[in-house]
Amino acid sequence: MRFPCSAASFRVALAVCATVGAAAVGSATASAAPPAPVPSLDLASYLGVWHQLAAVPAPFSLNCAGDTTATYTLEESGDVGVYNRCRTWSGGVDEIRGSATVTDPATNAQLHVSFPGVPGQDQRTGAPNYIVTALGPDYSWAVVTDPSRLSGFVLSRTPSVDAATWNDIDAAITAAGQNTCVYLTTPTTGGRTDITPLCAR
């Protein structure tokens, strides 16, 4: 998930980002090898709408208050179209469009995501920055991170999941070499309304 930073940053959100970012760096340096992608990802099954249920806070998402979604579509080029959308703190909508290119044809689970006009993210090709490290049954949920483990997203086809699924997600995050405490829940209509570290939910 990527969103352009808002000029009106929130001090509390920035403090959370700084704290969580430091924890994420510690986790990343503890494991030198990049997280492993799932053995095989069927792109056709992965397309569609995903709800963000939790994420590692990042500056580009400070403007998002909840109802964050990612919609993936197949482009004529064979790449994946990316449309990210969220509800802002003022009740408006923040959105951005980009594309994703598979960098690992052996698994299809590592991609390079780019967004035109966003500094540092505008190159259509490059190293993987989006790794699907876990997938639920029937592609019902996914855990995504990057080689450095500094980002993280919990995606679901539905705005909420049951306790057993959350336990599976926690285990997947840990298996990827991350700490569940650096992930904060994302408020969703029809799901959780709080912002809480996964380790304390």
Side-chain angles (χ1 to χ4, degrees):
M1 302 279 190
R2 291 287 191 276
F3 290 94
C5 287
S6 168
S9 297
F10 295 87
R11 292 177 185 163
V12 173
L14 282 172
V16 169
C17 279
T19 303
V20 172
V25 168
S27 175
T29 55
S31 303
V38 294
S40 178
L41 184 145
D42 178 58
L43 278 180
S45 299
Y46 198 71
L47 301 178
V49 179
W50 291 93
H51 299 267
Q52 179 180 295
L53 301 190
V56 176
F60 55 72
S61 61
L62 290 181
N63 201 33
C64 294
D67 292 326
T68 301
T69 59
T71 302
Y72 302 131
T73 56
L74 187 62
E75 298 181 334
E76 289 185 8
S77 64
D79 287 343
V80 177
V82 178
Y83 172 54
N84 293 342
R85 184 178 189 276
C86 73
R87 171 174 47 81
T88 67
W89 296 98
S90 61
V93 172
D94 204 346
E95 58 186 6
I96 189 170
R97 294 182 184 274
S99 63
T101 303
V102 173
T103 62
D104 175 17
T107 69
N108 280 340
Q110 298 187 87
L111 303 94
H112 176 78
V113 181
S114 61
F115 296 98
V118 178
Q121 302 178 45
D122 54 355
Q123 296 300 310
R124 184 86 181 210
T125 59
N129 56 11
Y130 183 108
I131 303 175
V132 181
T133 62
L135 279 170
D138 302 323
Y139 289 65
S140 57
W141 59 266
V143 174
V144 178
T145 185
D146 65 85
S148 67
R149 295 180 174 84
L150 294 180
S151 67
F153 308 95
V154 174
L155 308 178
S156 171
R157 295 299 190 179
T158 55
S160 65
V161 295
D162 59 24
T165 300
W166 272 121
N167 290 338
D168 290 341
I169 290 169
D170 288 346
I173 291 171
T174 301
Q178 290 183 300
N179 186 334
T180 57
C181 291
V182 305
Y183 280 76
L184 300 182
T185 56
T186 303
T188 59
T189 300
R192 298 181 67 102
T193 58
D194 58 327
I195 300 176
T196 304
L198 286 189
C199 61
R201 61 172 175 77

